[in-house]
């Protein structure tokens, strides 16, 4: 291969890399959540923190993640928001009844997810979840994971404690039954780590359910 030919090949690779890099700047994770107004001063939450003194990073902003989409293209944000806006325009608030704390292994068992949940989600709540996921999946490039009704309270590294041990401690926590009305929906985006590349992020969006 002649010198000029080598340079042309190298230049082609640089162009391809530049094109891929620019494309990646428009790829992000997108998720839609329902905000939950939990009090961090509740007796059961204090009791929970005392049962896990080794956990330092407790959550203080709470939500249900209705759907989480990876490899989501920025151009789909506008159409997604429009369809969600039509869905929420006449949708009334929903309720969820909580009565226990639980735990399960997160994706690829990387962390134990300590969460607040209930025995049976309300019919209206699950109807809203299904409607949100039906709209969002039309714009997803990958099939999102299924929905588990839970509010994350903490994430525990599995190398420090087994899931069985987490569940054993949680069994001692009494959560009195209570119902919350849920009316705030948020759509947020975040960009994966791109080896230092920075790009403009689209603004987040929120809606109020009024019915």
């Amino acid at each position: 291969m002649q010198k000029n030919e080598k340079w042309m090949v190298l230049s082609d690779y640089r162009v391809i890399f530049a094109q891929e890099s620019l494309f990646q700047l428009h790829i992000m994770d997108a998720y839609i959540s329902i905000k939950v107004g939990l009090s961090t001063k509740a007796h059961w939450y204090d009791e929970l923190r005392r049962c896990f003194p080794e956990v330092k990073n407790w959550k203080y902003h709470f939500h249900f993640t209705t759907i989480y989409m990876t490899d989501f293209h920025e151009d789909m944000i506008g159409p997604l928001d429009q369809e969600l806006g039509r869905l929420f325009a006449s949708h009334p608030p929903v309720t969820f009844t909580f009565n226990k704390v639980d735990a399960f292994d997160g994706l690829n068992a990387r962390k134990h997810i300590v969460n607040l949940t209930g025995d049976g989600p309300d019919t209206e709540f699950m109807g809203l979840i299904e409607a949100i996921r039906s709209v969002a999946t039309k714009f997803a490039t990958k099939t999102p994971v299924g929905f588990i009704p839970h509010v994350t309270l903490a994430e525990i590294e599995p190398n420090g404690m087994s899931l069985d041990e987490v569940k054993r401690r949680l069994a001692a926590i009494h959560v009195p039954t209570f119902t919350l009305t849920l009316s705030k929906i948020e759509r947020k985006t975040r960009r994966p780590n791109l080896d230092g590349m920075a790009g403009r992020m689209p603004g987040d969006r929120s809606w109020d359910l009024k019915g």
Side-chain angles (χ1 to χ4, degrees):
M1 184 181 294
Q2 299 297 319
K3 181 178 180 180
N4 287 344
E5 292 175 334
K6 289 181 179 179
W7 172 247
M8 290 174 64
V9 171
L10 180 59
S11 297
D12 287 343
Y13 279 129
R14 286 176 174 172
V15 169
I16 292 172
F17 176 76
Q19 291 173 336
E20 289 181 347
S21 297
L22 288 173
F23 177 77
Q24 287 298 320
L25 286 174
H26 295 280
I27 297 300
M28 59 198 66
D29 296 345
Y31 60 99
I32 303 164
S33 61
I34 302 176
K35 293 189 68 175
V36 178
L38 287 178
S39 171
T40 59
K41 298 180 180 180
H43 176 73
W44 65 265
Y45 201 27
D46 286 339
E47 187 180 358
L48 178 65
R49 290 191 291 260
R50 284 194 296 269
C51 281
F52 293 89
E54 57 274 86
V55 176
K56 306 302 179 185
N57 298 320
W58 291 95
K59 305 290 184 182
Y60 290 93
H61 297 91
F62 307 102
H63 62 268
F64 287 101
T65 299
T66 67
I67 189 168
Y68 195 103
M69 297 171 286
T70 59
D71 290 351
F72 194 87
H73 197 279
E74 183 177 358
D75 289 347
M76 294 293 100
I77 293 294
L80 171 63
D81 285 353
Q82 288 179 359
E83 288 217 25
L84 288 174
R86 285 193 287 269
L87 169 63
F88 302 142
S90 58
H91 203 293
V94 296
T95 60
F96 192 95
T97 299
F98 300 94
N99 63 2
K100 63 181 178 181
V101 284
D102 199 359
F104 60 86
D105 277 339
L107 191 63
N108 299 323
R110 287 196 296 255
K111 292 182 179 179
H112 306 315
I113 310 300
V114 177
N115 64 90
L116 177 68
T117 187
D119 287 326
D122 299 354
T123 302
E124 292 79 7
F125 173 85
M126 288 307 300
L128 176 60
I129 297 297
E130 291 169 4
I132 291 172
R133 291 178 63 86
S134 177
V135 168
T137 50
K138 292 190 293 186
F139 302 96
T141 56
K142 293 183 178 180
T143 303
V145 298
F147 174 73
I148 299 175
H150 74 284
V151 175
T152 299
L153 304 174
E155 298 176 352
I156 300 176
E157 297 291 341
N159 57 352
M161 190 183 307
S162 69
L163 181 61
D164 286 342
E165 173 61 15
V166 173
K167 285 179 170 288
R168 186 190 67 78
R169 296 192 197 184
L170 290 176
I173 308 298
H174 171 67
V175 178
T177 300
F178 65 98
T179 300
L180 293 180
T181 298
L182 313 171
S183 61
K184 175 75 76 173
I185 314 290
E186 294 182 324
R187 187 272 303 148
K188 293 189 175 184
T189 55
R190 68 180 185 184
R191 203 178 303 283
N193 181 16
L194 296 178
D195 296 326
M197 291 191 297
R200 180 181 63 84
M201 287 293 291
D204 297 333
R205 183 73 187 272
S206 65
W207 297 266
D208 291 313
L209 301 179
K210 298 177 180 178

